[in-house]
Amino acid sequence: MNLKLSKPLIVFDIESTGLVVGKDKIIELCLIKVMPDGNEIEKLYRINPGQHIPEETTEIHGISDKDVENCPTFAQLAPELMNFIGNSDLCGYNSNKFDVPLLVEEFLRAGVDFSLHNRRIIDVQNIFHKMEPRNLKGAYKFYCNKELTDAHTANADTRATLEVFKAQLERYEGVEYEDSDGKISIPIVNDMNKLSVFTKNGNWADLVGHLYYNKDKKECFNFGKHKGCEVEKVFETEPAYYAWMMNSDFPLSTKKLITEIRTRRLLKNN
């Protein structure tokens, strides 16, 4: 299908040092400029962020400090990028939340006012999620081909969840799944242990994702000024941070875990 365009559309994706827009930097940028006549121009840039690329981030996209040490900085590329993008509209996947804000941030760091005024911004992920709702009602329709008429009543939602679960086991029996590392498996089997592992929320240490395990299996903060830092080390250098968390509106399950971590540290030092 040809896109109906009144001006160029830049479809782009970013790889970065991390996911914090105010702190992290772009290290790879791909842009495909789709012209109103259908022609496409593709550009791919490796960029030196001027800061360390964390090893856990490298494990995701495969780009290390060495890969970009001789690459230009974003500031050096900014005039070329600005000229290529011009007045184009922007399109990406999850771009409203991350790619567009980080791109604008990088231009501002380079002293370039990259305005979004008069640019249309299209997020393909939002089309996906809105057209294929990621809620129980959408799942019930997709897997069971039924309408959930009494949504948000506990008994109806519980019954629908059970039906969806059974339908998933049937639909995905023998179906291959490829993870982010390219490993192929057949994870949907009638085995609760294996399903529990497959549906776990990443490497979270607590239930809600305030803490996560790093590659050394150490609990780290996933928020705030100590994001990415080991909990034990923070409590050692800044004991008041533990007291602040305990007096703040964190879940009791998270408070229980940080208390266990703090106690473990104290016992280790005695």
Side-chain angles (χ1 to χ4, degrees):
M1 173 184 289
N2 292 326
L3 299 175
K4 295 181 179 179
L5 305 175
S6 58
K7 65 177 182 176
L9 176 70
I10 294 282
V11 183
F12 75 108
D13 185 67
I14 283 169
E15 300 299 339
S16 62
T17 59
L19 299 175
V20 181
V21 171
K23 180 183 75 171
D24 287 302
K25 304 287 187 67
I26 297 173
I27 55 178
E28 188 171 70
L29 174 63
C30 181
L31 308 100
I32 300 176
K33 189 173 188 177
V34 186
M35 308 302 289
D37 63 4
N39 286 330
E40 297 177 3
I41 307 167
E42 183 171 340
K43 300 276 189 178
L44 178 63
Y45 299 91
R46 281 279 175 92
I47 300 170
N48 188 332
Q51 65 186 49
H52 175 57
I53 303 172
E55 286 74 14
E56 55 266 30
T57 306
T58 296
E59 289 178 5
I60 296 172
H61 50 51
I63 305 172
S64 65
D65 291 338
K66 187 175 181 180
D67 294 323
V68 297
E69 62 183 358
N70 296 317
C71 295
T73 65
F74 190 93
Q76 291 170 327
L77 289 171
E80 178 183 341
L81 291 170
M82 193 68 182
N83 182 63
F84 181 70
I85 296 173
N87 72 337
S88 302
D89 294 327
L90 302 175
C91 176
Y93 191 90
N94 195 32
S95 49
N96 286 0
K97 290 183 178 179
F98 182 69
D99 297 73
V100 170
L102 184 55
L103 184 66
V104 171
E105 187 78 7
E106 286 280 36
F107 272 117
L108 290 175
R109 289 170 184 153
V112 177
D113 185 11
F114 183 78
S115 175
L116 297 180
H117 184 62
N118 288 330
R119 290 187 199 275
R120 289 162 291 196
I121 301 173
I122 301 159
D123 192 325
V124 173
Q125 185 188 69
N126 286 346
I127 295 175
F128 175 36
H129 287 178
K130 290 182 178 181
M131 295 306 293
E132 302 289 344
R134 265 39 196 170
N135 55 25
L136 181 57
K137 185 175 181 179
Y140 197 54
K141 177 67 174 177
F142 182 79
Y143 289 107
C144 304
N145 198 27
K146 298 178 182 178
E147 296 292 341
L148 184 54
T149 55
D150 295 324
H152 305 303
T153 61
N155 57 335
D157 287 359
T158 303
R159 176 58 57 185
T161 300
L162 177 57
E163 289 187 42
V164 167
F165 182 37
K166 291 179 177 178
Q168 287 175 328
L169 294 179
E170 293 178 2
R171 177 183 286 264
Y172 298 123
E173 183 180 4
V175 176
E176 291 185 344
Y177 168 78
E178 182 176 354
D179 66 17
S180 58
D181 296 322
K183 183 180 178 181
I184 303 294
S185 64
I186 300 177
I188 308 301
V189 293
N190 205 346
D191 182 312
M192 300 308 119
N193 286 330
K194 293 181 180 179
L195 290 171
S196 176
V197 172
F198 182 66
T199 59
K200 183 180 178 182
N201 285 324
N203 59 345
W204 290 1
D206 66 340
L207 295 175
V208 296
H210 290 312
L211 309 177
Y212 71 95
Y213 292 108
N214 64 13
K215 63 178 182 179
D216 298 319
K217 305 301 181 184
K218 300 288 188 179
E219 299 94 343
C220 296
F221 288 109
N222 199 27
F223 68 93
K225 64 179 182 178
H226 293 303
K227 184 173 183 178
C229 299
E230 292 182 16
V231 177
E232 277 197 39
K233 292 181 179 178
V234 171
F235 287 169
E236 185 171 353
T237 58
E238 190 180 339
Y241 202 69
Y242 168 78
W244 172 77
M245 288 190 69
M246 293 300 290
N247 290 319
S248 299
D249 193 24
F250 288 97
L252 291 177
S253 56
T254 301
K255 292 179 179 180
K256 180 175 182 291
L257 178 58
I258 65 170
T259 299
E260 292 172 359
I261 295 169
R262 179 173 176 269
T263 302
R264 184 178 67 207
R265 183 188 67 80
L266 292 173
L267 292 173
K268 187 187 303 181
N269 293 340
N270 289 335

